[in-house]
Amino acid sequence: MTMAPALSRVDTGTVHLDDRLLAGGLADVRWALLGALHAGARSLVVDLSGVRRLPDTVVAVLVSAHRICRARGGALVLRGADVPTEELLRRTGLWRVLVAEPALAVA
């Protein structure tokens, strides 16, 4: 008899990025993403609504986290990306890899 594994891990983690975290350096961003993944998340939602400008180096960290999510059968979603970030994804072709969605509306 086969039993389904217990769902002891978080399936989707949410990481909120803001300008203060980005000012702390790339390592802080990396640890925020890896922390959610080490907690067991298969998928990540990265909330960018608190970011005025997403540096190119952070995009590289997001791609790395995306690879980990895909290896686990999940995905990485960018939520609340501004127009310049969406344009960056288009220019680099990463819009095919990193899914961007609008910020959630607050009622």
Side-chain angles (χ1 to χ4, degrees):
M1 180 170 150
T2 311
M3 295 179 55
L7 295 175
S8 62
R9 66 181 189 187
V10 178
D11 193 39
T12 301
T14 302
V15 177
H16 301 275
L17 297 185
D18 58 24
D19 290 330
R20 190 180 66 194
L21 180 65
L22 295 178
L26 195 56
D28 291 345
V29 175
R30 185 177 290 123
W31 280 112
L33 295 169
L34 289 177
L37 292 168
H38 286 306
R42 278 187 328 138
S43 296
L44 286 179
V45 174
V46 181
D47 182 1
L48 299 175
S49 58
V51 176
R52 280 186 267 158
R53 183 186 169 278
L54 190 66
D56 298 341
T57 53
V58 173
V59 174
V61 172
L62 293 172
V63 170
S64 178
H66 164 76
R67 288 181 184 142
I68 295 170
C69 291
R70 294 291 295 180
R72 294 178 174 190
L76 184 135
V77 175
L78 302 177
R79 181 173 292 152
D82 60 0
V83 173
T85 299
E86 290 181 2
E87 288 174 359
L88 172 69
L89 296 176
R90 282 244 175 243
R91 272 193 326 270
T92 59
L94 287 173
W95 65 273
R96 294 180 184 107
V97 177
L98 299 175
V99 176
E101 65 180 32
L104 295 177
V106 180

